[in-house]
Amino acid sequence: MLTAINEDEQLPSMKRSSFQKILKELQFVYVKKSRNSALLERDDLVTWRQNYLSTIKQYRAQGRPIYYLDETWVNAGETHSRTWVDSSVTSRRDAFKRGLTTGQKEPSGKGKRLIVLHIGSSDGFVPGGLLCFESKTNSYDYHDEMNGSTFFEWFVKILPLLKDNAVIVMDNASYHSVKKDPTPVRSWKKQEIINWLESKGEVVIQPIVKAVLLERVKKIKSEHEKYVIDEYAKENNKTVLRLPPYHCELNPIELAWSSVKHYVRTHNNTYKLKDVQELLKQGVEHVTQEMWTNFVEHVVKEEHKFWKIDFITDEILEEEPAEGDQHILTIGTGDTSGSECSDFYSEYSDSE
């Protein structure tokens, strides 16, 4: 795997120790292998992906317009991490004697941050759909800056700008999934859980312990779980479709963000937030309809790959292993909110 990564020009080269660290962070474990091994994802993630792929394929066959939205961030100190250097220059003194410049001084830190939200389709970014505001915290995760009310306010504004009967693809960030009717959790008081169950037509016979109440909630919540965004979209003849967790490569706007950030890094020479904001707007304008069409086509190819891989995995596992000779390691743990995918492509734009 490490050899394949280091041979790929689009990925950054790394040492074995760095790669091992990444694998551990992704919840992989190093175990003794058997002659018939399998590395599997959780069944719920495979199911979610298959449902997503079949649904979006159906929407395309129906000719429905498909839009993709996502958030990202841009720092005031945004700049390329690599540059061309004259290796014949041995020191600043040597450069001075030869009448050469030593280049512009880089910012000492990343500086202030802009939180960015936009939506686009194969027609390009939606005009008037850009939301950009200054971050108020130094949190590493820009998702901390967004909340349900801010997102909903933007969503209401952009919905009339989309074509009728549109499909809106988004990830599972918490502010995308504010529930219209919150589902009881353990922190709720027992009587509140009982009231919720009875409002759904359930008969609750007391006395009863909280654990049993929550188990009943778990059994019926999928029937009643509705999201504010989904319901509002439905009222306006639009449909929300959520990406499976950990699948940022299925969102073409990630490629658009990579292009926008590349533009900002190339032209940023003041490292002032106000100037970076203007560069951001220019970068968005430089992402043409043709580029967006290519991005979407690339993602469609990725969808086909995922679809085939799931069936290939089934075929391989159908083969009869020798008795006691199969080892299965399941991956895909932790939070499935969707925030883990941010700027999947942008992180590597300097190595392209």
Side-chain angles (χ1 to χ4, degrees):
M1 290 169 66
L2 183 61
T3 301
I5 290 171
N6 289 336
E7 288 178 351
D8 192 327
E9 295 180 356
Q10 295 186 357
L11 295 176
S13 297
M14 63 179 71
K15 295 180 180 178
R16 184 183 182 88
S17 57
S18 300
F19 185 51
Q20 288 176 330
K21 184 178 179 181
I22 290 173
L23 287 176
K24 288 180 180 179
E25 290 176 350
L26 292 172
Q27 304 295 321
F28 282 86
V29 292
Y30 192 60
V31 297
K32 184 177 180 181
K33 66 179 182 179
S34 62
R35 285 175 293 169
N36 194 328
S37 301
L39 185 63
L40 299 180
E41 291 176 283
R42 286 187 346 222
D43 286 343
D44 61 317
L45 297 182
V46 176
T47 301
W48 192 329
R49 179 170 61 235
Q50 281 289 308
N51 288 339
Y52 172 84
L53 294 174
S54 60
T55 301
I56 198 166
K57 183 179 180 181
Q58 181 182 357
Y59 287 151
R60 288 200 184 98
Q62 295 170 353
R64 296 182 65 175
I66 300 176
Y67 294 85
Y68 301 84
L69 66 82
D70 190 35
E71 302 80 9
T72 188
W73 78 90
V74 178
N75 296 306
E78 203 77 41
T79 184
H80 288 297
S81 60
R82 299 186 181 189
T83 187
W84 288 102
V85 176
D86 186 349
S87 59
S88 68
V89 177
T90 58
S91 65
R92 284 179 177 270
R93 184 180 178 82
D94 179 36
F96 179 76
K97 285 181 178 179
R98 293 163 59 176
L100 302 174
T101 61
T102 55
Q104 186 176 3
K105 186 177 181 181
E106 298 287 336
S108 58
K110 295 188 176 182
K112 294 181 178 180
R113 173 180 293 181
L114 292 171
I115 310 300
V116 189
L117 170 61
H118 214 329
I119 185 169
S121 69
S122 55
D123 293 330
F125 275 119
V126 175
L130 177 64
L131 173 65
C132 180
F133 59 91
E134 181 180 345
S135 170
K136 300 301 181 184
T137 71
N138 293 320
S139 171
Y140 176 77
D141 188 356
Y142 69 88
H143 291 80
D144 294 342
E145 293 288 317
M146 188 69 72
N147 56 54
S149 58
T150 301
F151 180 78
F152 182 73
E153 197 174 306
W154 172 85
F155 192 79
V156 170
K157 176 185 172 184
I158 64 100
L159 220 56
L161 306 178
L162 310 183
K163 293 180 180 178
D164 194 38
N165 201 30
V167 176
I168 306 166
V169 177
M170 65 181 76
D171 65 25
N172 301 278
S174 58
Y175 45 83
H176 293 167
S177 307
V178 176
K179 294 176 182 177
K180 196 158 188 173
D181 180 15
T183 305
V185 293
R186 177 158 288 280
S187 61
W188 283 34
K189 293 186 180 300
K190 185 185 290 189
Q191 189 57 50
E192 292 174 336
I193 301 174
I194 292 172
N195 293 342
W196 186 89
L197 285 167
E198 290 179 341
S199 72
K200 308 305 176 190
E202 293 288 306
V203 177
V204 180
I205 300 176
Q206 301 193 53
I208 187 170
V209 298
K210 182 181 282 190
V212 175
L213 287 172
L214 290 172
E215 185 63 27
R216 290 182 63 175
V217 169
K218 185 178 178 181
K219 289 180 179 178
I220 70 168
K221 72 175 184 178
S222 59
E223 303 172 15
H224 302 278
E225 205 167 49
K226 294 181 180 180
Y227 298 117
V228 174
I229 291 296
D230 300 53
E231 295 304 302
Y232 185 82
K234 195 182 298 181
E235 292 169 7
N236 289 270
N237 197 31
K238 308 288 192 301
T239 301
V240 170
L241 178 62
R242 284 180 169 76
L243 287 159
Y246 315 110
H247 285 73
C248 43
E249 61 269 53
L250 297 183
N251 192 343
I253 202 172
E254 296 286 359
L255 292 165
W257 286 144
S258 179
S259 177
V260 171
K261 287 194 173 186
H262 182 80
Y263 182 91
V264 173
R265 290 166 182 161
T266 301
H267 296 86
N268 188 14
N269 52 30
T270 66
Y271 309 117
K272 294 179 180 178
L273 199 64
K274 184 178 179 181
D275 295 335
V276 169
Q277 188 166 4
E278 287 304 313
L279 289 175
L280 172 72
K281 294 176 181 177
Q282 294 170 22
V284 168
E285 292 173 358
H286 274 74
V287 181
T288 64
Q289 178 181 346
E290 182 181 4
M291 292 170 67
W292 255 100
T293 299
N294 291 335
F295 297 158
V296 173
E297 289 177 354
H298 171 80
V299 164
V300 172
K301 291 178 182 177
E302 291 297 308
E303 292 172 3
H304 292 327
K305 287 181 185 178
F306 274 118
W307 182 267
K308 290 180 181 178
I309 286 172
D310 286 336
F311 284 97
I312 291 172
T313 301
D314 276 355
E315 291 174 8
I316 292 174
L317 293 177
E318 284 291 313
E319 298 176 4
E320 289 291 335
E323 186 176 351
D325 196 33
Q326 186 174 32
H327 178 82
I328 297 178
L329 176 63
T330 303
I331 63 171
T333 60
D335 179 30
T336 57
S337 66
S339 62
E340 73 293 329
C341 281
S342 309
D343 299 286
F344 176 79
Y345 295 97
S346 297
E347 293 296 328
Y348 305 121
S349 62
D350 280 351
S351 64
E352 293 179 353

